[in-house]
Amino acid sequence: MKKSLALSIFLIALLIQNQSPFLEIEASGSRNGGFITTRGVHFMLNGSPYYANGFNAYWLMLLASDPSQRPKVSAAFQQASSHGLSVARTWAFSDGGTIPLQYSPGSYNEQMFKGLDFVVAEARRFGIKLVLSLVNNYENLGGKKQYVNWARNQGQYVTSDDDFFRNPVAKGFYKNHVKTVLNRYNTITGVMYKNDPTIMAWELMNEPRCTSDTSGRTIQGWITEMAAHVKSIDQNHLLEAGLEGFYGKTDPRNPGFNVGTDFIANNLVRGIDFATLHSYPDQWLTSYDDQSQLNFLSNWLRTHIHDAQYVLKKPLLLTEFGKSAKDPNFSPYQRDRLFNMVYNNIYMSAKHGGAAAGGLFWQLLADGMESFGDGYDIVLSQGTSTANLIGQQGHKLYQIRKIFARMRNVQRWKRARAARRAQWLAWKRGLKPIGN
């Protein structure tokens, strides 16, 4: 084991010395491959460990619902693919409001759903896997507040947005949405979502929080119930809870947050296939200077990578991180330092067979989308230093994938050679000398 690990590290070092741009693009079919699964602390694709350099683009379905805006979706995927980005996280929800996917419980906007169909189809065309989130913790695009209001309109006595996690009617509305999305027949590809390997995973909720019950029991019960519901419909795809990574109520490692979640307990739930992590030190530690925020980030990443590997024994995906250009004294150099720290932690873990499987920055925009800018946005076509770092990380993780695939092929060849030799020896032992 040590010998093979040393060999893999040596090969990786040789490959990484060549810092050429990420130009080697696999054929779309082979790159997208089959369903991503897990084996221990690794994601697996086509029998080899899979590492994901990715991005967030919550807006994909919204823009794709307008055919005139679809070129922006295609451009984002094309630019992402050319920079070695292989996973996109986006919303499969928009509840109520002026641009709904779901007008009201069980009533859907077909034009918006066709937009999501297009997103899945384009991701497939460009060899990009999708993580689809099913509801928001926040009011943006409806979220749990909208579900609670729908329940209230049905005569339910609800007093808090957190009743989303407790009220049986609100939970029933959510379960129906899950069922509807998973069973959606894609009008472009002809494949039901639950049967489409373009989708890497479902996310129960974007950043679930239940501040009315900081003991963690409410969130734990909801995740347990909803994970079982998703798996009863779809056993092809992976599932994650959407957590930010906060530990339990009294854990000193939290950055001053007490939101009713527990990174360990929540991710140990049966049906949750991998752990997720978010990190925004510029939001969480606003009174800290840049270096102190980076120090926190380093410890935050290493702690969660360790716990994913040795406690959860599941893969870990950093599904949101970034640095806002709206911060005082922001500079691209500061953002690059943060990206470098994130990417180096992921790469070092991946290189040594650890649990960290990739990072998805917030957020990717295409040209002409200035109105969607939130300070964290990155337009790859602008060729910034951060875009170059993103491309380099994609190249490095791709090389690790290639090395593991080569090692697997060598092992297959050795097994086949041993089998042929065994067959030859058996045949030889079966021969009898002539004349006896």
Side-chain angles (χ1 to χ4, degrees):
M1 180 65 184
K2 290 182 179 178
K3 184 177 180 181
S4 62
L5 178 59
L7 174 62
S8 67
I9 294 172
F10 173 72
L11 290 172
I12 291 169
L14 288 177
L15 286 166
I16 299 308
Q17 285 177 3
N18 178 13
Q19 291 293 340
S20 59
F22 189 89
L23 297 176
E24 185 174 356
I25 303 299
E26 301 166 272
S28 196
S30 63
R31 181 171 54 175
N32 220 343
F35 290 100
I36 293 180
T37 60
T38 61
R39 182 187 298 165
V41 299
H42 296 130
F43 291 121
M44 303 295 292
L45 178 62
N46 301 328
S48 297
Y50 179 80
Y51 299 97
N53 200 34
F55 62 96
N56 285 270
Y58 77 90
W59 47 268
L60 289 170
M61 176 181 68
L62 303 180
L63 256 65
S65 67
D66 178 355
S68 70
Q69 296 297 309
R70 288 182 176 180
K72 290 186 175 69
V73 173
S74 300
F77 280 138
Q78 187 278 324
Q79 292 167 17
S81 179
S82 70
H83 282 73
L85 293 164
S86 58
V87 174
R89 176 173 173 261
T90 192
W91 297 168
F93 63 79
S94 180
D95 309 306
T98 57
I99 48 172
L101 171 62
Q102 189 175 192
Y103 289 113
S104 58
S107 176
Y108 286 86
N109 178 350
E110 180 62 17
Q111 187 62 31
M112 189 67 75
F113 240 144
K114 287 181 177 178
L116 189 55
D117 291 345
F118 180 81
V119 170
V120 175
E122 285 296 273
R124 182 180 188 179
R125 184 164 74 94
F126 285 100
I128 291 176
K129 298 286 188 180
L130 295 173
V131 176
L132 296 181
S133 188
L134 295 164
V135 71
N136 206 357
N137 180 74
Y138 311 107
E139 293 184 35
N140 296 340
L141 301 180
K144 66 183 182 184
K145 183 180 183 67
Q146 180 63 73
Y147 277 88
V148 170
N149 286 338
W150 283 335
R152 185 179 290 112
N153 293 339
Q154 294 285 333
Q156 295 294 300
Y157 177 71
V158 286
T159 59
S160 163
D161 292 349
D162 287 345
D163 286 329
F164 170 83
F165 301 110
R166 295 181 284 252
N167 180 269
V169 172
K171 290 195 291 184
F173 291 158
Y174 172 78
K175 286 182 177 180
N176 182 71
H177 176 63
V178 169
K179 182 179 179 181
T180 301
V181 173
L182 272 57
N183 286 317
R184 169 71 177 180
Y185 176 87
N186 192 312
T187 56
I188 298 173
T189 66
V191 180
M192 293 180 73
Y193 285 12
K194 67 181 180 181
N195 296 328
D196 194 338
T198 306
I199 298 167
M200 173 181 176
W202 304 110
E203 178 176 276
L204 290 179
M205 186 178 213
N206 173 50
E207 299 188 346
R209 294 183 176 189
C210 184
T211 55
S212 64
D213 180 9
T214 56
S215 74
R217 287 188 291 270
T218 296
I219 288 282
Q220 183 76 359
W222 184 83
I223 291 174
T224 301
E225 181 179 352
M226 298 310 168
H229 177 65
V230 171
K231 292 295 187 178
S232 72
I233 301 170
D234 178 2
Q235 296 186 13
N236 288 323
H237 290 102
L238 301 178
L239 178 67
E240 47 98 348
L243 299 171
E244 298 160 271
F246 302 129
Y247 289 93
K249 182 175 181 179
T250 60
D251 198 299
R253 292 172 291 183
N254 288 334
F257 285 82
N258 190 6
V259 297
T261 60
D262 186 328
F263 178 74
I264 301 298
N266 298 158
N267 282 312
L268 283 174
V269 168
R270 181 180 177 86
I272 298 300
D273 296 298
F274 64 96
T276 61
L277 180 66
H278 295 182
S279 191
Y280 290 106
D282 59 347
Q283 292 183 23
W284 298 349
L285 304 169
T286 54
S287 62
Y288 286 52
D289 62 26
D290 191 64
Q291 185 58 52
S292 298
Q293 291 178 0
L294 285 176
N295 292 340
F296 164 82
L297 174 61
S298 178
N299 291 329
W300 186 249
L301 293 173
R302 292 177 184 178
T303 296
H304 286 82
I305 291 170
H306 176 275
D307 287 346
Q309 184 154 352
Y310 297 108
V311 182
L312 300 175
K313 299 180 181 179
K314 296 179 179 181
L316 174 68
L317 201 61
L318 178 60
T319 44
E320 285 191 31
F321 72 93
K323 176 76 172 174
S324 176
K326 294 182 179 181
D327 285 353
N329 303 316
F330 168 84
S331 72
Y333 171 73
Q334 291 175 334
R335 183 170 64 187
D336 289 350
R337 287 183 72 199
L338 184 142
F339 271 66
N340 258 321
M341 178 172 286
V342 168
Y343 284 157
N344 285 338
N345 274 274
I346 291 169
Y347 172 68
M348 291 303 293
S349 175
K351 185 173 74 168
H352 292 95
L360 283 61
F361 67 85
W362 185 281
Q363 64 164 329
L364 177 70
L365 297 183
D367 292 297
M369 293 184 63
E370 289 78 11
S371 63
F372 285 79
D374 59 1
Y376 292 91
D377 42 291
I378 293 174
V379 180
L380 294 173
S381 63
Q382 292 177 355
T384 63
S385 56
T386 308
N388 291 335
L389 287 177
I390 291 166
Q392 290 169 14
Q393 179 75 352
H395 178 76
K396 290 162 70 174
L397 293 182
Y398 173 63
Q399 295 297 350
I400 294 177
R401 289 171 59 189
K402 282 179 63 177
I403 285 170
F404 277 114
R406 288 172 182 171
M407 291 173 65
R408 181 166 168 260
N409 289 335
V410 168
Q411 291 167 357
R412 282 178 172 175
W413 176 79
K414 287 181 177 179
R415 287 195 298 268
R417 185 179 65 173
R420 288 194 299 270
R421 178 169 176 77
Q423 290 174 349
W424 180 79
L425 290 173
W427 174 80
K428 186 177 180 181
R429 284 193 297 269
L431 291 178
K432 294 182 179 180
I434 296 174
N436 290 344

